[in-house]
Amino acid sequence: MKRPVEVKFYDGILAEARRAWIVPDQQQGIALKLDEDIPAQVSAADFYFAYPDMAYIGGVGGRKPIIELPEERRIEFLSKVPHWLRIKHKDIYHAIWEFERSPILIFFSMIIVISAVIVILKWGIPYSAKQLAKLLPEQTLVEVGNRTEQQLIAQTQPSTLPAEQQTRLKTLYEQKIAVGKPAKIIFRQGGSSMGMNAAAIPNNSIIVTDELVKISGTDEEVLAVLAHEQGHLVQKHSM
């Protein structure tokens, strides 16, 4: 006979708990004895409850684990649930209860969660996005890029840069940076929407604002910006 375990028993009639003892009943359930003394044998029990009729509720905070029974009866444990109690998910619920009562485990768990979030945000999401971009069909990239280009064109104004300067910058870009697969270079006045900026678009286009060209001062500085944007196109960062 397994060692009896002292519990509180609510009979579904009275609101007050009664002292009781439980022992396993041939692996099929439990036997419960209402008594001040430990029962000598299972056959002396007052109630028998089968496992399928039990609903186990794990402890939370200061509340001990309980078993809900038919006819609004309930068993409340005074401490740890006995190891011989064969209720589904008992060990999981008890582990959670023990965990929440341990400040050290909570502290280290928070550190682990925070670290995991940082790793996901810093490396996980960018890596996933990069892999997804590689799998996207070329036509999808073009369609998304065309819509983006139209939006940026609508938000900016025509360029006022001299045609000769635009042609020179495009030629230098094709000769020194985008050998083999040059992007379409579009010069626009950025205004309040883009300002001094440049943007790589998935349809293999790069928009450069007049403001950025003017503040750069030299062709080499503009080419450095174009090289940066070319890298975004090659790696598909624009998605």
Side-chain angles (χ1 to χ4, degrees), residues 3-7 22 30 51 54-60 63-67 75-95 97-98:
R3 183 176 180 180
V5 175
E6 183 180 358
V7 298
I22 62 171
I30 60 175
Y51 284 127
M54 302 179 192
Y56 180 80
I57 302 177
V60 177
R63 191 190 72 179
K64 303 296 191 299
I66 63 175
I67 294 177
I75 293 172
E76 181 178 310
F77 292 92
L78 303 182
S79 58
K80 185 177 179 179
V81 178
H83 66 86
W84 48 257
L85 194 67
R86 298 180 179 277
I87 294 183
K88 190 176 182 180
H89 304 314
K90 177 200 70 177
D91 294 336
I92 297 176
Y93 283 123
H94 185 73
W97 183 46
E98 291 289 348

Side-chain angles (χ1 to χ4, degrees), residues 99 104-114:
F99 170 79
I104 295 178
L105 288 177
I106 293 175
F107 172 77
F108 281 108
S109 296
M110 290 179 61
I111 296 298
I112 292 173
V113 170
I114 293 173

